[in-house]
């Protein structure tokens, strides 16, 4: 058996607001007409997709009655320290929260932010 792909699913309270947030910070938005009212994909340049799933649909699929907002820390990489800072500035302008800025962990410059639903993102220059 070969695992051919993987992706992350995140519950969001408002698809339209989440779409606007992720578009504002530079993600490409992927939509499927069959699921337009339940989920959106956000794509990275390496063709990875994170699925944003409306909360009730997420509960239905995951069989969870109660879901938290910090079920994972998603790591993103950019090319330079300046791009880390630029992304964090975009997060603030899109109503996200920067939790750390200008950090150095294991020799990588980076920062930590949360989206409008509280999902945590680590961004580093690699």
């Amino acid at each position: 058996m070969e695992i051919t792909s993987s992706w992350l699913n995140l519950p969001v309270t408002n698809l339209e607001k989440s779409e606007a947030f992720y578009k504002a910070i530079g993600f490409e938005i992927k939509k499927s007409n069959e699921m337009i009212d339940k989920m959106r994909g956000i794509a990275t340049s390496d063709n990875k997709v994170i699925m944003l799933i409306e909360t009730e649909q997420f509960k239905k699929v995951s069989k969870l009655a109660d879901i938290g907002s910090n079920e994972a820390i998603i790591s993103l990489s950019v090319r330079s320290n300046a791009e880390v800072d630029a992304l964090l500035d975009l997060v603030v302008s899109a109503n996200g929260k920067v939790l750390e800025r200008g950090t150095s962990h294991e020799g990588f410059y980076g920062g930590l932010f949360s989206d409008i639903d509280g999902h945590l993102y680590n961004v580093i220059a690699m």
Side-chain angles (χ1 to χ4, degrees):
M1 174 183 67
E2 177 183 358
I3 305 295
T4 59
S5 67
S6 65
W7 61 93
L8 185 62
N9 298 296
L10 295 176
V12 299
T13 55
N14 185 303
L15 279 173
E16 290 76 23
K17 286 182 180 180
S18 292
E19 179 180 340
F21 173 83
Y22 286 102
K23 190 172 186 178
I25 68 169
F27 280 93
E28 178 186 350
I29 306 299
K30 301 283 190 178
K31 297 181 184 180
S32 165
N33 287 333
E34 297 81 34
M35 298 298 279
I36 197 79
D37 62 331
K38 294 184 174 53
M39 64 182 65
R40 306 278 195 282
I42 55 174
T44 61
S45 63
D46 63 351
N47 297 314
K48 301 289 187 233
V49 175
I50 299 169
M51 295 304 298
L52 307 174
I53 302 177
E54 184 275 325
T55 302
E56 291 307 311
Q57 179 70 11
F58 188 91
K59 286 179 182 179
K60 180 180 169 185
V61 171
S62 67
K63 308 294 188 223
L64 294 173
D66 185 31
I67 52 175
S69 61
N70 294 319
E71 52 292 314
I73 296 176
I74 302 158
S75 293
L76 305 173
S77 65
V78 294
R79 297 180 199 276
S80 68
N81 296 5
E83 288 183 350
V84 168
D85 294 334
L87 177 57
L88 295 175
D89 290 341
L90 290 172
V91 166
V92 171
S93 67
N95 297 315
K97 293 180 185 173
V98 173
L99 305 171
E100 290 185 335
R101 182 185 284 269
T103 60
S104 180
H105 296 290
E106 309 298 327
F108 293 102
Y109 180 85
L112 182 70
F113 71 89
S114 64
D115 70 5
I116 60 174
D117 286 289
H119 303 295
L120 294 176
Y121 285 81
N122 173 47
V123 56
I124 59 174
M126 292 185 74

